[in-house]
Amino acid sequence: MRLLYCENLAVGMKLGQPVYGAAGQLLLAPGATMSARYIALLGEMGIPAVYVADPDTSDVSPPQYVRPQTRAAAWRSLTSIAECLAPAAADLRKQSLSLTHEHSGSERFAQAVRSTFRGADLEALGKSVDAVMADLLDQNVLVGLNTIKTHDAYTFQHSIDVTIMGIVLARKLGWPASRVRMFGIGSMLHDIGKIMVAADILNKPGQLTEDEFTDMKAHPERGYHILRAIRPALGAVIPQAAYQHHERQDGSGYPRGLKGTNTLGEHEPGKIHDFGAVCAVADVYDAMSSTRPYRKGWAPDRVVATIAGMAGTHLNREAVNAFLSVVAPFPVCSEVTFIGGKHAGCRGIVTSVPENDRARPTVRVLEDRTGTRLEAFDVDLRIDPDSRIRSAEADEVRAESMGSRRQPPRPAAPLPAEVVASLRQLHQTRA
């Protein structure tokens, strides 16, 4: 199957993967035929893309890292926590920012939070993190997209996806299971301070005013005070994910302008904590990847390249290195365009991603330079050094999923046997 942006869907296409609502309810089942009404509804729900069935890619499926029921349980836990904390935040949202800043750190606010917070909510959240960890048990590399988010449920889905990415990174970094679990809880709650930001600011389609941006920038500190109020149940470290996920290594972040060491595990006083540093990478990745009411999500290869460029100045270098070792810039089922080599201008679908060379996947070529459907064939970029690809943009409608007669998989261009052997030896050395 292939991943298509909804503006590129055509009537008659078949859905390849189910479409779920934020609470885990099935909205559209696999095999559903796309009608004009269905396509319009997907747009109204803010769903940016779906997987469609395609005869030439019927053997390719996107990896499912976390089960729908696990996501649904996490969503319910976050919803319950936000609802029980809402009374403590409602009055503060009506006050000026200065008063909100003052009161959110007061004992009065802490008592208000504790009076409405139920221990069962936190227990359910912990079980949700356990379920995510169990689902991700054997996931060392993320070769597919994490999820496709809807606008109206963005905040909670974002928290869940930051947790998924964070847990994968924490494991890659060799953290013990108990610490990974603590970090997972912190990641789930890293944006809890947003319950004190008005919805019209959170979802504003245009640019925020200076006052609105100041209000938005206060959410890490507010989240920290919320979690500190229930700290006996969370411990002292977990709230740091909320407090520090917008801090930057060069001190340009907020709310306190902390600097980092670009290392992990040292925990110098007054420096960015590991939880803040790793959560920052997961948060930036998911935020850049997600389509929001005010902008379209970036293509995965652009996100990966941007994060690589932020290492050392904005993002912790060790955390970014871990990220680059587990995330594929060209996810399975995503559309790509050849920008170099004999197939330049052709378009295809990523069918597999090697763990030891994630930027050189195998691509099934489906369309020529004019958008005409080809007899499909595979190109393994690991043995075709001249071929270069980029993620296909969503604003150009190309051929429909009509299929063709499959050709046997083949390399893009025949290479001398000694060259192929040398390339394979090089990749084995890198692995």
Side-chain angles (χ1 to χ4, degrees):
M1 64 189 69
R2 62 195 298 184
L3 180 70
L4 282 183
Y5 287 91
C6 288
E7 59 258 43
N8 290 352
L9 291 175
V11 173
M13 288 182 173
K14 300 285 187 181
L15 194 64
Q17 286 278 298
V19 177
Y20 292 99
Q25 71 275 30
L26 181 66
L27 302 179
L28 287 174
T33 301
M34 291 292 98
S35 63
R37 179 57 178 157
Y38 279 168
I39 295 173
L41 284 173
L42 290 171
E44 291 172 9
M45 289 187 294
I47 295 176
V50 295
Y51 292 98
V52 298
D54 183 298
D56 286 332
T57 55
S58 59
D59 60 323
V60 185
S61 297
Q64 180 175 279
Y65 299 116
V66 173
R67 296 169 299 155
Q69 53 267 43
T70 300
R71 284 185 174 275
W75 185 88
R76 289 192 296 269
S77 297
L78 287 168
T79 300
S80 178
I81 288 173
E83 287 177 348
C84 78
L85 291 174
D91 290 340
L92 286 171
R93 280 203 302 268
K94 300 175 184 177
Q95 300 178 16
S96 68
L97 182 60
S98 59
L99 285 175
T100 300
H101 177 80
E102 177 185 349
H103 289 169
S104 60
S106 69
E107 180 58 28
R108 171 177 167 272
F109 175 72
Q111 290 176 353
V113 169
R114 287 192 288 267
S115 68
T116 60
F117 190 79
R118 300 182 296 269
D121 298 303
L122 189 58
E123 182 180 350
L125 184 74
K127 290 180 179 179
S128 294
V129 171
D130 291 338
V132 171
M133 290 177 63
D135 286 359
L136 292 171
L137 185 60
D138 298 321
Q139 300 296 337
N140 298 315
V141 177
L142 300 179
V143 299
L145 289 179
N146 200 358
T147 189
I148 299 171
K149 283 177 279 294
T150 58
H151 293 163
D152 58 351
Y154 169 78
T155 298
F156 291 159
Q157 288 192 67
H158 170 68
S159 295
I160 294 168
D161 288 317
V162 167
T163 302
I164 292 170
M165 176 61 70
I167 286 174
V168 173
L169 293 178
R171 283 181 166 163
K172 181 68 177 181
L173 292 165
W175 293 1
S178 59
R179 193 168 194 244
V180 173
R181 186 178 190 271
M182 291 172 62
F183 179 61
I185 294 173
S187 297
M188 280 282 192
L189 297 171
H190 81 282
D191 266 346
I192 195 66
K194 287 184 176 179
I195 67 171
M196 294 172 65
V197 180
D200 58 345
I201 296 178
L202 288 174
N203 298 310
K204 186 175 180 179
Q207 186 174 358
L208 297 178
T209 66
E210 184 176 346
D211 287 343
E212 288 170 340
F213 187 55
T214 300
D215 196 12
M216 178 70 83
K217 287 173 63 177
H219 81 267
E221 185 169 7
R222 291 167 171 172
Y224 169 75
H225 287 307
I226 289 172
L227 298 182
R228 191 177 67 167
I230 54 176
R231 189 166 64 183
L234 290 176
V237 177
I238 288 175
Q240 300 307 318
Y243 208 6
Q244 299 185 13
H245 68 279
H246 282 296
E247 300 287 1
R248 297 295 178 250
Q249 294 294 303
D250 59 6
S252 63
Y254 60 88
R256 291 181 291 167
L258 298 179
K259 291 186 177 182
T261 62
N262 274 309
T263 59
L264 296 171
E266 297 181 0
H267 302 147
E268 295 182 19
K271 299 290 186 178
I272 300 173
H273 189 273
D274 285 1
F275 279 22
V278 178
C279 188
V281 174
D283 179 70
V284 168
Y285 170 76
D286 194 69
M288 287 181 175
S289 303
S290 302
T291 294
R292 300 289 288 123
Y294 45 85
R295 56 129 177 92
K296 182 182 292 183
W298 289 4
D301 56 336
R302 181 183 178 190
V303 174
V304 170
T306 301
I307 289 178
M310 297 171 73
T313 54
H314 283 61
L315 299 176
N316 181 286
R317 186 175 287 110
E318 287 190 13
V320 170
N321 287 341
F323 168 84
L324 295 175
S325 72
V326 300
V327 176
F330 305 104
V332 171
C333 290
S334 64
E335 285 195 306
V336 296
T337 299
F338 283 82
I339 57 174
K342 66 177 294 185
H343 298 294
C346 294
R347 182 173 292 206
I349 302 297
V350 175
T351 60
S352 64
V353 177
E355 286 196 15
N356 63 340
D357 199 354
R358 287 164 303 286
R360 306 292 291 174
T362 296
V363 178
R364 186 158 299 162
V365 181
L366 302 177
E367 302 166 14
D368 67 13
R369 297 166 181 83
T370 67
T372 302
R373 193 78 174 206
L374 295 169
E375 293 185 352
F377 60 92
D378 288 354
V379 175
D380 186 343
L381 272 67
R382 290 175 298 174
I383 58 174
D384 183 13
D386 293 330
S387 285
R388 293 180 294 116
I389 58 175
R390 64 167 174 80
S391 294
E393 299 297 332
D395 54 3
E396 183 182 2
V397 180
R398 298 293 290 265
E400 298 180 8
S401 299
M402 54 188 173
S404 65
R405 186 175 75 254
R406 287 289 315 284
Q407 293 182 347
R410 65 187 186 192
L415 296 173
E418 60 272 18
V419 175
V420 174
S422 298
L423 288 171
R424 285 176 175 167
Q425 183 176 6
L426 174 63
H427 285 291
Q428 289 172 357
T429 301
R430 289 178 177 175

